């Protein structure tokens, strides 16, 4: 039996190497060109020369067991008539000298295009039967998700990135990729720009607006028009890479984007504990490292403290004390975040908040005053609820009344991440902070005491204040002007 015998096609069918339709195509080509069946199958890209040899060996009982063979890329390109043997030899000679990939060399020499390389790699992978089923991410390897409607393009990117140590999952259907993003644990997504149905820009937009919005996206495109790049960047794309770029460049872009994303997430997690989502987003838009390292800035500092809490703690079981404290501090914290402040710290039965750090606004002082008034309203509501419950349960006497005192002061402070390598917190230090704390200690139940600078900053908004006699504060040589917010 030889590769020229029509029965050879039957052998290939029995071995599962080709399909009946592929054999019929080869026989039709044989009738036109006079090629042998095996050569026709190679020309059509359905088998490699090595597979033909293996099939003959199988027929003669000479083959030993071995895994599926991957036909050489150069042989496939010649079989597909994309390059000649002379061009392949030239590229192989250069590859032996500089060690680069054969496909890149052939394109550089002008012997074929990247599209033809994609097609050959697709044939190569189809012959081998490579499977790309999702599996747990491998330790130490970044998982890259490639979305491209062309299996040939997917195969090309996959081969290059796997060789560089990445784990690659490919999707031809962008909808399937979006649906599976939650379980794929992708470090980054590489998406083709131009796809039917759901293009790369829309895929990026949906990903960035969904629950996996932190996954970075790089657009792969052969279209280098500025309008298309801008459209993708507006949708949230983190970078663009031309499809003609080398795998080394693509890998470098991937690492750069992932590093930026990791740093962004670190900052997001750090500040999410202290301030509102809106403030966090403003922080992330700033490239100013002083946000963490420390800087001088004018802020408005708020201290609030629950009055009569010691008496309450003595009259209730410990679990109820904690429940009440959490309820009150929860409402006070909500007021801080609603007004765009930063929750600096809890102080037993009180808290410290800052308006103007790490992100400053022109109306920080007014925001701080509005926050103080919201706190007073929240405590009044909780007090009314407690009194209603007391009456509903038929208890005698009156419930212990919770009241709040607030101190508010503005001035220049040093803000930053302060502490040790093991434990640090974002906070503000300075005289303005100390004065605000002293004012809070002086404030009576239901009273908001305000420093001179805070009154100056909010005076244009016609907020009512009552002038109080100046007070002497610890650490101050001169009496400090004092005002009560009405």
């Amino acid at each position: 039996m030889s590769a020229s015998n029509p029965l050879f096609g039957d052998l290939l069918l029995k071995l599962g190497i080709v399909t009946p339709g592929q054999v019929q195509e080869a026989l039709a080509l044989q009738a036109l060109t006079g090629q042998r069946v095996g050569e026709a199958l190679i020309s059509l890209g359905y088998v490699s020369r090595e597979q033909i040899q293996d099939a003959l060996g199988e027929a003669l009982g000479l083959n030993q067991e071995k895994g599926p063979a991957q036909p050489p890329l150069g042989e496939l390109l010649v079989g597909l008539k994309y390059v000649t043997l002379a061009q392949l030899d030239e590229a192989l000679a250069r590859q032996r000298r500089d060690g680069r990939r054969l496909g890149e060399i052939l394109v550089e020499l002008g012997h074929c295009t990247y599209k033809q390389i994609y097609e050959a790699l697709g044939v190569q992978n189809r012959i081998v039967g490579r499977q790309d089923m999702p599996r747990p991410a491998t330790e130490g390897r970044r998982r890259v998700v490639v979305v491209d409607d062309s299996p040939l393009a997917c195969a090309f990117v996959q081969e290059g990135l796997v060789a560089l140590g990445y784990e690659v999952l490919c999707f031809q259907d962008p909808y399937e990729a979006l649906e599976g993003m939650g379980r794929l644990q992708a470090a980054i997504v590489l998406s083709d720009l131009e796809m039917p149905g759901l293009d790369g820009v829309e895929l990026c937009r949906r990903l960035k607006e969904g629950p996996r919005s932190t996954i970075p996206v790089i657009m792969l495109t052969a279209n280098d028009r500025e309008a298309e790049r801008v459209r993708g960047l507006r949708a949230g794309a983190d970078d663009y890479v031309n499809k003609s770029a080398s795998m080394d460049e693509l890998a470098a872009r991937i690492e750069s984007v992932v590093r930026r994303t990791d740093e962004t997430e670190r900052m997001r997690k750090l500040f999410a504990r202290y301030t509102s989502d809106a403030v966090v987003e403003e922080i992330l838009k700033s490239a100013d490292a002083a946000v963490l390292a420390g800087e001088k800035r004018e802020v408005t500092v708020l201290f609030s403290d629950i009055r009569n809490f010691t008496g309450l703690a003595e009259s209730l079981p410990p679990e109820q004390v904690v429940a009440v404290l959490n309820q009150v501090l929860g409402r006070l914290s909500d007021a801080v975040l609603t007004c765009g402040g930063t929750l600096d710290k809890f102080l037993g039965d009180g808290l410290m908040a800052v308006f103007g750090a790490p992100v400053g606004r022109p109306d920080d002082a007014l925001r701080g005053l509005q926050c103080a008034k919201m706190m007073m309203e929240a405590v009044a509501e909780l007090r009314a609820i407690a009194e209603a419950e007391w009456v509903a349960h038929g208890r005698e006497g009156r419930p212990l009344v919770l009241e709040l005192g607030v101190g508010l002061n503005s001035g220049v402070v040093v803000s930053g991440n302060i502490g040790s390598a093991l434990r640090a917190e974002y906070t503000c230090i300075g005289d303005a902070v100390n004065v605000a704390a002293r004012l809070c200690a002086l404030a009576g139940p239901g009273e908001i005491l305000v420093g001179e600078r805070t009154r100056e900053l909010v005076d244009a908004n016609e907020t009512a204040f009552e002038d109080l006699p100046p007070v002497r504060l610890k650490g101050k040589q001169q009496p400090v002007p004092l005002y009560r917010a009405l």
Side-chain angles (χ1 to χ4, degrees), residues 444-484:
E447 191 173 44
I448 302 172
L449 295 184
V450 178
E452 184 177 27
R453 179 58 179 161
T454 302
R455 175 175 177 169
E456 291 176 1
L457 291 171
V458 301
D459 192 50
N461 295 280
E462 300 180 357
T463 300
F465 293 99
E466 178 185 351
D467 291 1
L468 299 176
V471 295
R472 288 190 175 274
L473 299 179
K474 183 179 179 181
K476 290 288 188 179
Q477 295 182 354
Q478 300 295 327
V480 174
L482 187 62
Y483 307 91
R484 179 188 293 123

Side-chain angles (χ1 to χ4, degrees), residues 317-390:
E319 60 273 15
Q320 284 187 254
V321 173
V322 172
V324 171
L325 186 60
N326 285 341
Q327 185 180 32
V328 176
L329 291 180
R331 295 291 293 274
L332 301 186
S333 302
D334 290 344
V336 174
L337 300 183
T338 299
C339 293
T342 298
L343 182 60
D344 189 289
K345 60 175 69 68
F346 291 107
L347 302 165
D349 55 357
L351 59 78
M352 170 186 168
V354 180
F355 296 82
V359 174
R361 297 186 178 93
D363 61 346
D364 282 322
L366 181 60
R367 288 171 179 268
L369 184 58
Q370 290 173 338
C371 176
K373 292 181 177 181
M374 286 181 64
M375 287 180 170
M376 290 298 180
E377 292 173 0
V379 171
E381 289 177 9
L382 292 174
R383 187 166 58 246
I385 293 171
E387 291 176 352
E389 290 179 350
W390 187 279

Side-chain angles (χ1 to χ4, degrees), residues 213-214 261-274 277 280-281 283-284:
S213 60
T214 57
T261 303
D262 289 346
E263 178 63 18
T264 298
E265 281 308 294
R266 186 180 74 84
M267 292 185 66
R268 188 189 301 276
K269 290 177 181 177
L270 173 66
F271 283 104
R273 295 178 293 170
Y274 309 124
D277 291 341
V280 171
E281 292 306 317
I283 295 169
L284 297 178

Side-chain angles (χ1 to χ4, degrees), residues 125-377:
N125 293 328
R126 190 166 67 244
I127 291 170
V128 175
R130 178 183 292 169
Q131 299 295 317
D132 292 311
M133 298 300 291
R135 55 195 183 282
T138 306
E139 181 100 19
R141 297 175 66 194
R142 296 199 195 283
R143 171 169 282 181
V144 179
V145 170
V146 179
V147 185
D148 197 311
D149 61 308
S150 168
L152 310 175
C154 284
F156 179 70
V157 175
Q158 182 182 48
E159 183 197 44
L161 291 181
V162 167
L164 292 173
Y166 293 90
E167 185 178 6
V168 182
L169 301 179
C170 295
F171 291 86
Q172 280 82 59
D173 184 348
Y175 293 99
E176 182 184 359
L178 279 174
E179 290 173 3
M181 205 58 67
R183 58 185 171 81
L184 293 177
Q185 302 175 354
I188 193 167
V189 173
L190 308 183
S191 174
D192 184 26
L193 178 62
E194 298 175 350
M195 295 184 290
L198 187 72
D199 65 11
V201 172
E202 181 61 18
L203 181 143
C204 179
R205 187 187 65 78
R206 294 190 186 187
L207 182 62
K208 293 296 184 179
E209 292 178 355
R212 305 293 166 180
S213 60
T214 57
I215 299 176
V217 178
I218 292 179
M219 292 290 187
L220 300 177
T221 177
N223 183 351
D224 204 29
R225 291 197 301 268
E226 182 179 356
E228 292 299 320
R229 293 199 305 271
V230 170
R231 197 164 67 94
L233 292 171
R234 284 177 175 168
D238 296 88
D239 202 352
Y240 262 85
V241 178
N242 197 286
K243 284 187 174 181
S244 63
S246 68
M247 282 298 151
D248 289 333
E249 179 184 346
L250 178 57
R253 296 288 189 94
I254 289 173
E255 292 304 311
S256 176
V257 169
V258 170
R259 279 197 302 271
R260 292 201 308 267
T261 303
D262 289 346
E263 178 63 18
T264 298
E265 281 308 294
R266 186 180 74 84
M267 292 185 66
R268 188 189 301 276
K269 290 177 181 177
L270 173 66
F271 283 104
R273 295 178 293 170
Y274 309 124
T275 189
S276 65
D277 291 341
V279 175
V280 171
E281 292 306 317
E282 288 190 40
I283 295 169
L284 297 178
K285 291 176 185 176
S286 172
D288 191 355
V291 167
L292 288 177
E295 60 181 340
K296 284 186 176 181
R297 56 167 63 227
E298 185 172 39
V299 302
T300 296
V301 184
L302 180 152
F303 279 87
S304 64
D305 183 75
I306 302 172
R307 305 300 189 238
N308 302 327
F309 191 77
T310 302
L312 177 67
E314 292 175 350
S315 63
L316 294 176
E319 60 273 15
Q320 284 187 254
V321 173
V322 172
V324 171
L325 186 60
N326 285 341
Q327 185 180 32
V328 176
L329 291 180
R331 295 291 293 274
L332 301 186
S333 302
D334 290 344
V336 174
L337 300 183
T338 299
C339 293
T342 298
L343 182 60
D344 189 289
K345 60 175 69 68
F346 291 107
L347 302 165
D349 55 357
L351 59 78
M352 170 186 168
V354 180
F355 296 82
V359 174
R361 297 186 178 93
D363 61 346
D364 282 322
L366 181 60
R367 288 171 179 268
L369 184 58
Q370 290 173 338
C371 176
K373 292 181 177 181
M374 286 181 64
M375 287 180 170
M376 290 298 180
E377 292 173 0

